[in-house]
């Protein structure tokens, strides 16, 4: 379903780090807690002060608490 979004002005990023670099607010909704933890491992070294990550994944509370502490 990407082409209709691109036609309406969306931009495609080749990877998660490039996406993060181009935004101030990141919204995610991933399949599970493991996916959130994996993405965090990738993104956290590349975050900058003031960025906001809003995750709406139905996850485990322990994973959310650990991620909050890491951030």
């Amino acid at each position: 379903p990407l082409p209709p979004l691109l036609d309406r002005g969306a931009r495609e990023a080749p990877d998660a780090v490039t996406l993060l670099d181009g935004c101030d607010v990141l919204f995610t909704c991933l399949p599970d807690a493991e996916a959130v933890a994996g993405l965090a491992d990738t993104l956290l070294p590349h975050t900058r002060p003031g960025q906001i990550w809003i995750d709406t994944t139905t996850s485990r509370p322990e994973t959310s608490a650990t991620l909050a502490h890491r951030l």
Side-chain angles (χ1 to χ4, degrees):
L2 191 56
L5 296 172
L6 295 172
D7 290 344
R8 297 179 88 178
R11 292 178 291 163
E12 184 177 8
D15 57 61
V17 173
T18 303
L19 176 66
L20 179 69
D21 188 48
C23 67
D24 294 321
V25 180
L26 177 67
F27 284 88
T28 55
C29 184
L30 302 170
D32 54 39
E34 290 74 22
V36 175
L39 184 60
D41 290 342
T42 299
L43 293 182
L44 290 182
H46 304 279
T47 58
R48 63 182 185 276
Q51 280 184 309
I52 298 170
W53 181 1
I54 300 170
D55 179 58
T56 62
T57 301
T58 302
S59 188
R60 291 189 311 267
E62 303 82 23
T63 302
S64 298
T66 299
L67 180 56
H69 179 72
R70 290 175 65 191
L71 288 169

